[in-house]
Amino acid sequence: AFPGLFSLGYRCQADVHAALLAARAALAAGNLPAAIAHLTRAAEREAGLIAAYIEPPRVHHPTLQCLGHLLLLANRTADAEHAFEADLREYPDNGFSLTGLRDAARARGAPEPELAHLERRLRR
């Protein structure tokens, strides 16, 4: 057997991709709550993979960004903000997560100075 193929890292990566696939299927079926649950699981499992920088990335699909956008669709703005902020901790100044964070802040009625700050971060 090939022990490397069965290591914990590969199992974890397979779990992430299986959860992403299940989220896409749930979303295609119109089941937003199930898609969010699957993406939450994918993001949790992906966190176990991020131990060191590697090219290409182990997971090509930005799970936290996707989760944040689905949470916005579900009008769960606070949860969406948390997902985007978590992604920004891993990938500072990521434009997609900054845009999502700005949209979530706008959706919750954030004050204008906060929105202006997010707009400035986006323009950098």
Side-chain angles (χ1 to χ4, degrees):
F2 302 98
L5 292 176
F6 302 103
S7 72
L8 181 60
Y10 286 108
R11 271 185 299 200
C12 187
Q13 189 172 354
D15 289 347
V16 171
H17 289 284
L20 287 171
L21 181 61
R24 282 180 174 247
L27 194 57
N31 190 343
L32 186 57
I36 289 170
H38 291 301
L39 264 175
T40 299
R41 190 174 79 242
E44 290 167 352
R45 294 298 289 163
E46 183 182 24
L49 289 173
I50 302 173
Y53 179 81
I54 186 169
E55 284 284 341
R58 289 181 180 103
V59 178
H60 297 278
H61 211 82
T63 56
L64 287 168
Q65 290 172 27
C66 293
L67 177 59
H69 287 291
L70 288 187
L71 290 165
L72 271 178
L73 285 175
N75 294 316
R76 292 174 53 186
T77 55
D79 293 331
E81 284 183 284
H82 291 303
F84 292 124
E85 288 166 349
D87 191 64
L88 287 165
R89 281 191 294 278
E90 278 303 316
Y91 307 102
D93 298 323
N94 177 286
F96 294 107
S97 289
L98 283 170
T99 299
L101 185 59
R102 181 209 52 207
D103 292 347
R106 188 178 290 145
R108 78 165 151 78
E112 190 55 41
E114 182 181 346
L115 294 174
H117 172 73
L118 289 169
E119 288 293 339
R120 282 192 300 277
R121 282 184 70 187
L122 270 166
R123 285 193 296 260
R124 279 196 261 165

